[in-house]
Amino acid sequence: MNSKGETLDSTGIGALMTEVTNVADTVLNGGLNRLTDGDAVEFMRRLEICKRQLAALDSALVIEASERDLPRKAGVKDAVPFLRQTLGLSRHDAATRVKIAGACGEFLGADGKPRPVALAATANAFETGVISRDHVRGIVDIMTHLPADVPTPARVETEALLVEHCVTGMPDDLPKIGREILARLDPDGTVISDADRRRRRGITISRPGVDGMSKIEGWLTPELRALLDAIFAKLARPGMCNLDDADTEILTATARVESKVLEAAARRDRRDAAQRTHDALFALVTALQPVTDTAADAAATTATGIAAAKVGKPVKLGKHRGLPVEVVVTMSLADLERGAGMATTASGGHLSISEALKLAKNSRPVLAVLDKDEIPLYLAHGERLATSGQRLALIARDRGCTHPGCDVPASMCAAHHVIDWAKGGPTDLTNLALVCDHHHAMVNDSDNGWQTVMLGKDSAHPGRVGWIAPAALDPSHTPQVNDTHHVGKRVAGLVDSSCRRWGSRAA
């Protein structure tokens, strides 16, 4: 009861909370089985909007608790431990709610009047349920890291662009977009520099436990991550380097592996992703053990099957999906010329232009430079492999699986014939696209199959691959493209233009 004698029940809030509880009880006790498939999906969507709107109330409640000084009254120092103690939240969840409240909540000033909301567009979208808490957290993180000299109008436009993306886009895209934005607005690394990342680098291996196992944790630089991604794309693939499978020794050798043998090994593979990464690292480290005998250097293999090499000599890890196991780096000509922006790897990672050039100098990766239309201008490689050239161009153009909404990186995709090879489709860039194994199996001529087409010059996406859904999903048969691998560059480009328009020095 407050000073006016009002309670939850007298204000009507208690009754509304009871209604929410009743709805949950009804649904959980058998209400769902009466719904059609379409109604079940629609209910999921409406329920998600309701949950988001309820989550948006957290900001108002956090601010209310702070202004009432409830944390101090409860004997804790601030809102985070208060929420943990009162609601039984994890430290991360409580801190996230407080951080979002600071950016999207309405605080009172010293004069008792409401202060402007820091991220008003984000707060409005959150309150109406069109974006989720994960979206908000990503937006807050990006806006917090914008350089200080970005003008206020450009900040407002940046936030609006991020919210616009989040209405239909995934929260998982936001870190990628944020990296692209920072690469353009902070080319000199005043917010996050290469030196900052190097200072944070480190790997800690704990003391062995009673079972002999050791925990490993730490931070990897973008360069090391890019190198490991290229290696693990092959060695950590299902069926490869399996320490639990005595029949897969051949699958760890540097020699080419027959697809049928690998598929059979993958079907036997019961390891999770972390175990596959461990076994791949074991295989890689074993391959680096010194070999003193010249003959052994040429022919001997380790227990894991990877050809051993003398210290100081590169370890040849064979091929993965038609390419040597190495880093593939893609950058635009504009970013290369001005020394700012982001380069991408075939595994979906990001490097600053300076990091990418340093990597190119030290480890000789495949380097692709694109023009303004993202068409490869330059492909450089230590060896001339004609059959690999097309795949390199596909990596530079598609960046990953082309199926709408799929985020599988290029390193885990195969080259797909848009017009089937059996139907006379040529094996050239105008008839090839990157597709992951899952979506490749969905392309067929059945009623439930998807179709692929190359979009023409009159399309909004010329030269890109369009996917046509089955009639049951899309009666209009409208080709769809996948912007998941390109959205960061698109949004960052718009933000960059906004900053230039408003005269930001960061741009």
Side-chain angles (χ1 to χ4, degrees), residues 19 29-30 53 57 97 129 171 180-181 273 333 339 378 380 391 420:
E19 288 185 23
N29 290 315
Q53 291 175 314
L57 288 176
R97 297 190 190 194
E180 293 271 10
I181 290 175
L333 178 61
Y378 173 81
R391 181 168 174 81
D420 191 32

Side-chain angles (χ1 to χ4, degrees), residues 6-305:
E6 296 175 327
T7 65
L8 280 177
D9 292 332
S10 64
T11 58
I13 296 178
L16 291 175
M17 295 173 66
T18 300
E19 288 185 23
V20 172
T21 302
N22 290 338
V23 170
D25 289 341
T26 300
V27 173
L28 291 174
N29 290 315
L32 289 177
N33 57 12
R34 299 195 299 268
L35 301 177
T36 65
D37 290 352
D39 287 340
V41 172
E42 181 61 22
F43 178 73
M44 292 172 65
R45 289 172 175 162
R46 292 189 184 185
L47 181 61
E48 179 62 24
I49 292 175
C50 291
K51 290 193 294 184
R52 292 176 178 183
Q53 291 175 314
L54 290 173
L57 288 176
D58 288 337
S59 295
L61 292 172
V62 169
I63 294 172
E64 186 71 19
S66 298
E67 293 182 342
R68 290 171 182 249
D69 204 17
L70 295 184
R72 184 189 62 81
K73 294 177 181 178
V76 295
K77 64 177 183 178
D78 56 40
V80 172
F82 172 74
L83 293 178
R84 295 184 66 201
Q85 175 180 296
T86 306
L87 305 179
L89 305 179
S90 68
R91 186 183 302 276
H92 175 74
D93 192 359
T96 297
R97 297 190 190 194
V98 172
K99 185 177 182 179
I100 290 176
C104 300
E106 187 176 69
F107 291 84
L108 295 179
D111 57 0
K113 296 181 180 179
R115 298 201 309 252
V117 177
L119 299 179
T122 305
N124 181 67
F126 193 24
E127 291 169 2
T128 56
V130 296
I131 64 176
S132 68
R133 176 180 288 167
D134 287 338
H135 284 121
V136 176
R137 183 174 57 204
I139 293 174
V140 171
D141 191 41
I142 293 174
M143 297 301 295
T144 301
H145 284 91
L146 289 183
D149 62 352
V150 173
T152 298
R155 286 179 177 274
V156 173
E157 290 186 14
T158 298
E159 183 196 358
L161 288 170
L162 293 172
V163 171
E164 179 184 355
H165 163 75
C166 289
V167 171
T168 56
M170 304 296 179
D172 296 335
D173 294 336
L174 289 171
K176 183 189 308 179
I177 294 173
R179 291 192 294 268
E180 293 271 10
I181 290 175
L182 279 180
R184 283 162 172 74
L185 302 191
D186 187 36
D188 297 325
T190 58
V191 178
I192 302 177
S193 67
D194 294 347
D196 291 331
R197 285 185 280 266
R198 287 194 295 272
R199 276 194 294 271
R200 294 181 61 196
R201 77 188 187 280
I203 297 175
T204 301
I205 302 177
S206 67
R207 292 178 180 273
V210 295
D211 58 356
M213 302 289 283
S214 302
K215 183 177 180 181
I216 181 171
E217 60 183 356
W219 292 99
L220 308 181
T221 60
E223 299 100 312
L224 178 56
R225 175 63 188 265
L227 292 167
L228 289 177
D229 278 347
I231 294 170
F232 289 159
K234 175 182 180 179
L235 300 188
R237 188 177 181 181
M240 294 291 290
C241 305
N242 191 349
L243 297 179
D244 298 328
D245 189 348
D247 295 330
T248 62
E249 182 176 351
I250 189 174
L251 299 185
T252 60
T254 56
R256 182 176 179 179
V257 178
E258 293 294 332
S259 60
K260 292 182 179 180
V261 178
L262 178 58
E263 290 170 2
R267 286 193 294 269
R268 297 192 302 269
D269 198 338
R270 296 296 180 265
R271 299 171 298 167
D272 58 28
Q275 291 171 328
R276 295 199 305 271
T277 300
H278 170 278
D279 293 354
L281 181 61
F282 181 87
L284 176 63
V285 173
T286 304
L288 296 176
Q289 298 303 305
V291 176
T292 56
D293 185 82
T294 303
D297 186 26
T301 58
T302 67
T304 61

Side-chain angles (χ1 to χ4, degrees), residues 350-499:
H350 287 80
L351 299 163
S352 67
I353 294 298
S354 62
E355 290 170 331
L357 294 178
K358 184 186 301 180
L359 184 66
K361 178 181 178 181
N362 295 332
S363 62
R364 298 188 67 187
V366 177
L367 180 65
V369 181
L370 311 181
D371 65 11
K372 62 182 179 64
D373 296 320
E374 299 197 341
I375 303 300
L377 288 172
Y378 173 81
L379 287 173
H381 191 279
E383 302 175 10
R384 295 180 62 85
L385 298 171
T387 57
S388 300
Q390 291 175 322
R391 181 168 174 81
L392 295 175
L394 287 175
I395 291 173
R397 185 192 71 190
D398 296 341
R399 301 191 180 186
C401 179
T402 54
H403 186 277
C406 183
D407 61 358
V408 172
S411 60
M412 299 175 66
C413 293
H416 160 73
H417 285 75
V418 176
I419 300 176
D420 191 32
W421 182 80
K423 297 179 180 179
T427 304
D428 55 43
L429 289 178
T430 59
N431 190 52
L432 294 174
L434 291 181
V435 181
C436 69
D437 294 341
H438 172 71
H439 288 118
H440 193 274
M442 295 170 56
V443 181
N444 57 72
D445 294 327
S446 70
D447 293 339
N448 295 321
W450 287 69
Q451 304 297 318
T452 53
V453 296
M454 294 298 295
L455 301 179
K457 295 181 179 180
D458 296 334
S459 167
H461 304 281
R464 297 275 297 278
V465 179
W467 286 72
I468 301 176
L473 297 178
D474 181 14
S476 68
H477 290 90
T478 302
Q480 307 171 46
V481 298
N482 186 12
D483 275 333
T484 300
H485 307 287
H486 306 269
V487 66
K489 185 173 183 178
R490 179 182 65 82
V491 176
L494 293 173
V495 172
D496 192 10
S497 298
S498 172
C499 288

